[in-house]
Amino acid sequence: RSLDLTGGKPLEYAYAWVLAVESSVEGRLFASQGHDPFDFECSAIDTDRLFEDRDAKTLKMNLKDWLQRDTLYLVKEGNGFDTHYLCDIFFLTKNREIVLVDVTGLDTDDQVTKKVNKHVRFMRKIAGNKKMAQKFKWRSVVLAPGLKGKDTVEVPKEARKSIRVIQGRAARGYLRGLQQIYRYTRQFEEDEDGEDEEDG
């Protein structure tokens, strides 16, 4: 079994910090093939939840009262809080997009496809539901650093505007130090040698 290098609070905090710094410098995040970057410039990191504390699938109905456009949020979990079933990190863009960032250690296309399908079901549920949408546009980014370039996960056509998958070297590039960890453990020696530069 592959070693999951994306789990655990210390690494989640590290990823949040890296993404916060990048967005602060660049003023945007997650440009990928076929997608424009999100217009987001971080000036703070906080913890909170999009879903109720003890019901991971019930969306909070007061998001507009506390979501800040310049804040990157780490999902608050544990100590009485249920595991968030859709993302690890989220943020609100200047264009009123709520972006769910799901960092996964899964390393096969079947496994990552199942995770993507969770986001597809959520987007279907929220589409056309003005009460749930709360006047926001909803987007998902699935970062799959363990998925090699030859294993491509397809997002259903209906959801491609809302969901993007960034995998392999491209995902590890967003997570900076993760690339070095993979190289150190030699898990992805074959991946590093054979993966195309434009993997993603």
Side-chain angles (χ1 to χ4, degrees), residues 16-191:
W17 175 254
V18 168
L19 294 174
V21 170
E22 178 167 340
S23 69
S24 179
V25 172
E26 301 292 337
R28 60 184 192 171
L29 271 179
F30 299 130
S32 61
Q33 188 174 6
H35 293 98
D36 292 330
F38 295 109
D39 191 2
F40 174 68
E41 187 173 351
C42 180
S43 63
I45 300 176
D46 203 350
T47 59
D48 217 307
R49 296 176 62 85
L50 293 170
F51 295 83
E52 295 295 344
D53 297 349
R54 290 174 176 79
D55 183 354
K57 295 187 179 182
T58 299
L59 194 64
K60 290 183 175 180
M61 288 290 111
N62 65 334
L63 300 182
K64 64 181 178 59
D65 295 336
W66 58 268
L67 268 178
Q68 300 295 316
R69 287 191 177 96
D70 62 349
T71 301
L72 189 81
Y73 295 92
L74 262 165
V75 169
K76 187 183 294 183
E77 295 178 316
N79 296 322
F81 296 98
D82 277 2
T83 298
H84 221 275
Y85 87 115
L86 274 178
C87 63
D88 307 292
I89 298 164
F90 59 94
F91 58 89
L92 175 65
T93 74
K94 295 177 181 178
N95 298 316
R96 295 189 63 79
E97 299 163 297
I98 295 179
V99 182
L100 315 176
V101 183
D102 193 348
V103 183
T104 178
L106 300 175
D107 58 6
T108 71
D109 52 354
D110 287 343
Q111 291 173 322
V112 176
T113 296
K114 288 180 181 178
K115 181 169 282 288
V116 169
N117 285 339
K118 280 188 177 181
H119 290 267
V120 172
R121 289 191 293 272
F122 175 75
M123 294 301 173
R124 284 174 181 163
K125 187 176 180 181
I126 209 167
N129 187 325
K130 293 182 179 180
K131 184 177 180 180
M132 280 189 67
Q134 301 180 60
K135 298 183 179 179
F136 296 109
K137 301 172 187 175
W138 291 79
R139 306 286 184 254
S140 290
V141 177
V142 177
L143 289 176
L147 190 63
K148 298 183 181 181
K150 63 184 179 180
D151 298 323
T152 302
V153 172
E154 291 290 334
V155 177
K157 187 175 181 179
E158 66 185 82
R160 287 175 189 169
K161 183 177 179 180
S162 302
I163 302 169
R164 62 189 72 176
V165 179
I166 304 175
Q167 66 185 70
R169 179 182 284 121
R172 297 195 296 275
Y174 278 111
L175 302 179
R176 304 302 187 213
L178 185 62
Q179 177 85 318
Q180 298 175 0
I181 296 172
Y182 278 156
R183 190 176 294 122
Y184 178 76
T185 62
R186 300 177 68 86
Q187 277 200 92
F188 286 82
E189 185 173 16
E190 178 183 351
D191 190 22

Side-chain angles (χ1 to χ4, degrees), residues 4-12 15 105:
D4 182 359
L5 297 174
T6 65
K9 287 301 178 186
L11 285 176
E12 288 178 13
Y15 301 155

